[in-house]
Amino acid sequence: MKELEDLNTFERAVLLACCKANNYSLGSHVPLGAITRKIRGVSHKYIKKVMKLLVSNGFVIIHPTRRNVTYQMSKKGLEAGNILKKELENTI
């Protein structure tokens, strides 16, 4: 399993976008379209591939609904997202 240090920059960006789309909450779940809107200029297929990797490593949880699949943050993913948010604030 990958940890936060093992993720590349684009995987970190997708994780941060997922956290932002979920409002840094464990209770909310959003569709993939809400996450892809946070990252512009990248193929939908590539983001879906990275989301699959984040799910398999325990950062994100798949939350099935009636119409489509939504994504929910896990505790591990939320902690990693908060770390990434602090790193981003420190660089600006």
Side-chain angles (χ1 to χ4, degrees):
M1 274 194 142
K2 285 189 172 184
E3 295 299 321
L4 179 61
E5 297 82 25
D6 300 332
L7 297 177
N8 64 26
T9 55
F10 186 69
E11 292 166 351
R12 287 176 180 229
V14 172
L15 180 63
L16 192 60
C18 189
C19 286
K20 286 181 182 179
N22 281 308
N23 269 342
Y24 294 92
S25 172
L26 290 175
S28 66
H29 48 93
V30 295
L32 188 62
I35 298 167
T36 55
R37 275 186 248 126
K38 301 288 181 185
I39 302 174
R40 300 191 189 246
V42 180
S43 171
H44 180 77
K45 286 183 178 181
Y46 191 56
I47 293 176
K48 192 171 183 177
K49 188 176 182 181
V50 171
M51 287 301 292
K52 191 174 183 180
L53 180 123
L54 292 175
V55 168
S56 68
N57 288 312
F59 290 105
V60 180
I61 301 169
I62 291 179
H63 190 271
T65 59
R66 282 187 178 184
R67 294 184 184 161
N68 55 4
V69 175
T70 57
Y71 296 92
Q72 181 178 3
M73 297 303 300
S74 67
K75 286 185 181 183
K76 178 181 174 182
L78 188 63
E79 290 171 0
N82 285 329
I83 291 170
L84 291 174
K85 182 180 175 185
K86 287 179 185 176
E87 286 178 4
L88 187 63
E89 289 174 353
N90 289 338
T91 58
I92 293 178

